[in-house]
């Protein structure tokens, strides 16, 4: 691949490889004739299309529209149910030029109606939707000063996001730069530097997030925020006493996690900040004995403490004054709350097994191949944020796993992952009030794409009617192979999905 550090002789050869090879494979996926849509369901057999051409029925309502937003808000989009429930490939990004043992980080996956964007080592790249793409097919490319070291899943209504990256080319360079980019245009809006701090184990974790009109960053010994339009610094806060600025959660509000080191233990605080001033609106002090805290949502405020171990043990919802509303127990691990390590691209609010709405939190049950839940089945369970009580349960059924993805208006979008690769996978909408499930589209994946379906190790994004499965790391051939196709991102859409010209 041509997006990495100073290239080896192998990767350099890909930069000047015979263009005929690329042209043979570069093809647009949008003009596929219907007669080739019938694919054998076997190993490596490709996509399988399911469903029919009947339009959506009148009693299957689309999700209600999200609250009107301005261009500087973090987008909260409501997806429309497609008219056709047959799924087809909308996009693929793969590589066959990686040497055995070669590895690249590919942090961050963002989508608009036109572009699928990825981070690849020290480069941001954007691909046109509808491409069967590889390195060199990108619509735009932004070379950064060093490797990406922090991302946020948030994107503004204008299609902009922020990444952290190092100021030098090697992995030991400080993670001290933030760049704000336009995903549709592939333009760098601005780039700023910020301080860093070190521990005996290396540099403190950094974190970046977006909220209204604001890009906020933490680095252990402090935090700062920038205006989205101008890049001007809005505020800067230093470390107070022994409390480090550990991470941020954004979106509709702004939360900061602080870890306070004492002689006998570390305690944790959560602060609600005014995005434009950095002033604390309230502070919540976690109980003694907590070993860690993740931030599930900034608005409404929901946190995930780990009591007695490193794994999350319960959830706590907070009111608009930072007071505890309800506690939701995870029943000794029956429910899964997997959050990224803050040292891994600095995302303390990235917990892909959990979704928070305005009044509920949706949790995934642990996979159980025995008892009354067989064949790798699981369920999504919703809890009321005011009472902590169970509201609804959505069953995956046999040979499937059900993963919550995000809210779409007042509906929950979820991914039905086939575990036997015979039952079709699907993107579905779940109604938190009625318990009704509405299919968006069904599909199957070839074997090369199966590793992309694990939500705790991959990015799974739904945007503008498309579902994207994307890897955070690219690894060269293994098992003695000298060359193989490595699938990095695949996108699926309805067979009658409208195309952007």
């Amino acid at each position: 691949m041509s997006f990495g550090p100073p290239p080896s002789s192998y990767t350099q050869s890909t930069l000047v490889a015979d263009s005929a090879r690329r042209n043979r494979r570069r093809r647009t996926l949008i003009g596929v004739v219907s007669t080739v849509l019938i694919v054998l369901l076997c190993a490596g057999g490709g996509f399988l299309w399911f469903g029919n051409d009947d339009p959506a029925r009148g009693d299957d309502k689309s999700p209600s529209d999200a609250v009107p937003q301005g261009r500087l808000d973090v987008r909260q989009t409501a997806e429309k149910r497609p008219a056709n429930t047959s799924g087809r490939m909308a996009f693929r990004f793969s590589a066959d030029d990686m040497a055995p043992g070669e590895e690249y980080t590919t942090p961050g996956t963002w989508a608009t109606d036109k572009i699928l964007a990825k981070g690849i080592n020290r480069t941001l790249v954007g691909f046109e939707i509808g491409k069967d793409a590889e390195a060199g097919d990108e619509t735009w490319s932004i070379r950064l000063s060093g490797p990406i070291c922090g991302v946020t899943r948030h994107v503004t209504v204008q299609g902009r996001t922020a990444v952290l990256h190092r100021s030098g080319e090697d992995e030991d360079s400080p993670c001290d730069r933030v760049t704000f980019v336009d995903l549709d245009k592939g333009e760098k809006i601005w780039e700023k530097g910020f301080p860093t701090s070190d521990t005996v184990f290396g540099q403190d974790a950094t974190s970046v997030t977006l909220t209204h009109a604001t890009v906020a960053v933490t680095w252990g010994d402090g935090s700062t925020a920038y205006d989205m339009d101008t890049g001007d610094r809005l505020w800067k806060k230093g470390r107070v006493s022994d409390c480090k600025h550990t991470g941020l959660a954004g979106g509709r509000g702004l939360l900061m996690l602080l870890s306070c080191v004492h002689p006998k233990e570390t305690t944790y605080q959560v602060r609600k900040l005014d995005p434009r001033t950095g002033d604390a609106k309230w502070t919540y002090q976690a109980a003694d004995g907590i070993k860690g805290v993740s931030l599930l949502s900034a608005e409404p405020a929901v946190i995930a403490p780990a009591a007695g171990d490193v794994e999350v043990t319960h959830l706590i919802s907070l009111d608009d004054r930072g007071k505890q509303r309800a506690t939701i127990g995870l029943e000794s691990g029956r429910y899964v709350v997997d959050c990224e390590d803050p040292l891994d691209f600095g995302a303390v609010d990235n917990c892909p097994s959990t979704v928070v709405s305005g009044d509920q939190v949706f949790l995934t049950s642990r996979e159980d191949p025995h008892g009354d839940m067989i064949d790798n089945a699981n369920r999504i369970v919703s809890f009321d944020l005011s009472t902590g009580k169970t509201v609804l349960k959505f069953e995956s059924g046999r040979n499937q796993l059900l993963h919550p993805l995000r809210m779409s208006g007042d509906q929950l979008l979820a991914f039905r992952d086939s575990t036997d690769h015979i039952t079709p996978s699907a993107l579905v909408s779940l109604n938190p009030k009625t318990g009704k499930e509405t299919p968006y589209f069904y599909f199957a994946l070839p074997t090369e794409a199966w590793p992309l379906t694990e939500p705790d190790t991959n990015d799974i994004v739904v945007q503008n009617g498309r579902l994207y499965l994307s890897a955070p790391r690219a690894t060269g051939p293994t098992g003695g192979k000298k060359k193989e196709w490595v699938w990095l991102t695949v996108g699926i859409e309805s067979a009658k999905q409208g195309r952007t010209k």
Side-chain angles (χ1 to χ4, degrees):
M1 297 174 70
S2 58
F3 302 112
S8 65
S9 59
Y10 182 87
T11 56
Q12 179 63 29
S13 68
T14 67
L15 298 177
V16 293
D18 180 16
S19 61
R21 176 189 63 81
R22 182 179 299 150
N23 291 335
R24 283 196 300 269
R25 186 172 173 276
R26 185 191 292 130
R27 58 194 180 276
T28 302
L29 302 178
I30 61 176
V32 180
V33 181
S34 60
T35 56
V36 302
L37 301 186
I38 303 174
V39 185
L40 295 177
L41 185 57
C42 59
F47 272 67
L48 183 64
W49 279 256
F50 294 90
N52 54 56
D53 292 338
D54 293 336
R57 297 180 180 180
D59 57 349
D60 292 327
K61 297 180 181 179
S62 298
S64 62
D65 291 337
V67 175
Q69 294 185 292
R71 65 181 184 86
L72 298 179
D73 287 324
V74 173
R75 69 185 182 193
Q76 305 285 335
T77 55
E79 301 292 326
K80 302 296 184 181
R81 185 191 178 194
N84 186 291
T85 57
S86 299
R88 68 178 179 188
M89 188 188 295
F91 172 81
R92 177 171 57 186
F93 173 41
S94 53
D96 73 339
D97 58 0
M98 297 185 66
E102 190 175 17
E103 189 173 274
Y104 291 94
T105 57
T106 57
T109 303
W110 307 273
T112 70
D113 62 336
K114 303 174 183 177
I115 292 292
L116 187 285
K118 284 288 295 176
I120 303 178
N121 191 52
R122 58 175 295 187
T123 305
L124 291 172
V125 292
F127 297 96
E128 180 185 348
I129 305 301
K131 288 282 189 180
D132 190 4
E134 58 182 309
D137 292 339
E138 61 271 14
T139 302
W140 56 258
S141 175
I142 299 175
R143 189 77 161 176
L144 304 172
S145 60
I148 296 169
C149 50
V151 298
T152 174
R153 69 182 185 279
H154 296 303
V155 176
T156 71
V157 171
Q158 277 187 303
R160 296 176 173 184
T161 194
V163 298
L164 302 181
H165 53 97
R166 302 185 186 278
S167 54
E169 295 183 358
D170 61 80
E171 293 291 339
D172 295 326
S173 299
C175 183
D176 59 358
R177 309 293 297 178
V178 57
T179 293
F180 193 53
V181 298
D182 187 305
L183 298 173
D184 277 330
K185 299 178 181 178
E187 294 179 353
K188 183 187 296 186
I189 307 302
W190 48 258
E191 177 181 338
K192 300 292 178 178
F194 57 89
T196 58
S197 53
D198 297 326
T199 69
V200 294
F201 303 104
Q203 184 180 322
D204 278 320
T206 53
S207 176
V208 62
T209 197
L210 309 181
T211 188
H212 175 73
T214 307
V215 179
V217 176
T218 61
W219 62 85
D221 279 349
S223 55
T224 190
Y226 304 91
D227 182 85
M228 281 184 180
D229 275 339
T230 65
D232 293 340
R233 176 172 283 163
L234 298 172
W235 51 264
K236 181 180 178 182
K237 303 290 184 179
R239 175 176 170 178
V240 177
S241 186
D242 295 322
C243 295
K244 289 190 174 183
H245 297 202
T246 304
L248 296 163
R252 288 171 290 194
L254 184 61
L255 290 186
M256 178 186 293
L257 175 65
L258 297 97
S259 55
C260 307
V261 180
H262 307 292
K264 293 185 178 180
E265 67 174 344
T266 299
T267 61
Y268 296 89
Q269 297 178 6
V270 178
R271 289 182 182 172
K272 181 69 172 288
L273 302 183
D274 182 317
R276 305 302 283 181
T277 67
D279 295 337
K281 296 182 176 181
W282 50 254
T283 299
Y284 172 82
Q285 178 69 54
D288 293 342
I290 297 296
K291 303 301 181 182
V293 175
S294 294
L295 308 178
L296 299 188
S297 170
E299 184 63 47
V302 181
I303 65 173
D309 203 346
V310 295
E311 291 189 357
V312 173
T313 52
H314 59 287
L315 307 183
I316 296 175
S317 59
L318 304 173
D319 65 18
D320 56 7
R321 296 175 297 169
K323 304 300 182 182
Q324 186 167 328
R325 298 173 64 194
T327 299
I328 300 168
L330 300 189
E331 299 184 17
S332 300
R334 182 178 181 183
Y335 299 107
V336 181
V337 179
D338 289 324
C339 299
E340 282 194 3
D341 189 323
L343 294 175
D344 188 7
F345 302 113
V348 298
D349 66 339
N350 189 2
C351 303
S353 61
T354 310
V355 172
V356 178
S357 71
D359 55 4
Q360 296 182 40
V361 59
F362 301 89
L363 302 180
T364 310
S365 73
R366 191 170 297 280
E367 179 182 343
D368 187 356
H370 303 291
D372 62 343
M373 297 175 64
I374 61 175
D375 299 323
N376 299 311
N378 75 341
R379 63 184 62 160
I380 293 175
V381 182
S382 65
F383 294 84
D384 189 286
L385 293 178
S386 297
T387 65
K389 294 182 179 180
T390 302
V391 180
L392 284 173
K393 298 179 180 179
F394 300 93
E395 302 289 347
S396 71
R398 296 179 60 178
N399 303 313
Q400 297 177 88
L401 293 176
L402 194 56
H403 304 293
L405 299 179
R406 70 169 176 88
M407 296 306 297
S408 173
D410 57 5
Q411 306 290 298
L412 174 68
L413 295 179
F415 170 44
R416 281 192 170 275
D417 181 22
S418 172
T419 59
D420 63 2
H421 304 295
I422 297 174
T423 307
S425 295
L427 175 66
V428 300
S429 174
L430 307 177
N431 189 314
K433 295 181 179 179
T434 66
K436 180 180 180 181
E437 177 176 322
T438 301
Y440 273 35
F441 47 74
Y442 299 95
F443 60 94
L445 296 170
T447 55
E448 295 90 342
W450 291 354
L452 301 178
T453 63
E454 291 288 342
D456 56 339
T457 55
N458 297 282
D459 296 329
I460 302 183
V461 175
V462 179
Q463 190 60 42
N464 293 97
R466 302 180 181 97
L467 171 69
Y468 298 95
L469 312 172
S470 187
R473 190 172 301 275
T475 304
T478 58
K481 297 180 181 178
K482 294 183 178 180
K483 185 176 182 179
E484 67 178 355
W485 283 106
V486 179
W487 287 42
L488 301 177
T489 303
V490 64
I492 306 102
E493 67 182 7
S494 166
K496 286 191 175 180
Q497 174 82 0
R499 296 285 183 174
T500 301
K501 295 183 180 180

